[in-house]
Amino acid sequence: MTEGRDWHWDKEAGAAEASAFMNVAVPKGATQSKGAVQINPQEDIYLLSFVTSEKNAESIAEDLHSEEPLKDKTKDFAPEGERFGHLGLTEPQTLKGARWTGVCPPCVKDDRRKKVQWIDLYVQTLKAEQARVYLQAF
């Protein structure tokens, strides 16, 4: 650990562990799948990202059962600090045109995700019907 910091990255955890925690399957044919787990004193943070079709990305958003549809949500900064940067990716909330939705699985009675308190999902449209999906959960 770095001095003064009370969290660290789990060197053994990746996309499979993040996917399992969120109960979100990486779609067949998806590429550039990356994941990580940040170990924190109170709640660990799970990150998952991959490139898939725009249709698959929207299906994942629908499957979260959020009360809000995907919508534009861009900021000039990443207030939560670097997370996806650990995976070599730009923080999704800083990407122009990125769409966001978030959900508290227990609040929408999603029994598949009882251990998850919150999931953020960002979708960045790429080219040729492709999109990068960013998921962050705790």
Side-chain angles (χ1 to χ4, degrees):
M1 280 197 265
T2 301
E3 188 176 328
R5 189 173 76 185
D6 57 356
W7 59 267
H8 66 277
W9 294 103
D10 182 339
K11 293 180 176 148
E12 304 297 317
E17 289 76 14
S19 175
F21 176 76
M22 296 179 207
N23 198 7
V24 171
V26 175
K28 187 175 182 175
T31 61
Q32 301 177 37
S33 180
K34 300 178 179 194
V37 179
Q38 187 185 72
I39 306 299
N40 291 286
Q42 292 185 337
E43 43 198 32
D44 298 338
I45 298 171
Y46 293 76
L47 305 176
L48 179 64
S49 183
F50 49 86
V51 174
T52 188
S53 70
E54 188 82 30
K55 183 179 178 183
N56 282 344
E58 290 174 2
S59 292
I60 291 165
E62 289 172 16
D63 184 60
L64 293 178
H65 303 294
S66 175
E67 294 175 358
E68 298 287 327
L70 280 168
K71 60 185 175 186
D72 287 342
K73 185 174 183 178
T74 306
K75 298 179 181 177
D76 293 334
F77 62 96
E80 298 152 2
E82 181 181 82
R83 297 232 170 99
F84 284 94
H86 176 72
L87 300 175
L89 300 169
T90 302
E91 300 301 323
Q93 60 271 50
T94 66
L95 295 167
K96 186 174 182 176
R99 295 177 293 150
W100 169 88
T101 192
V103 67
C104 161
C107 300
V108 296
K109 299 182 180 15
D110 186 349
D111 292 336
R112 300 167 300 162
R113 300 180 176 102
K114 289 180 181 179
K115 295 180 181 179
V116 182
Q117 296 177 44
W118 186 262
I119 298 178
D120 281 310
L121 175 129
Y122 286 87
V123 174
Q124 174 194 19
T125 300
L126 301 174
K127 57 183 179 180
E129 307 281 325
Q130 295 291 296
R132 174 169 287 285
V133 173
Y134 296 81
L135 291 146
Q136 175 177 284
F138 60 88

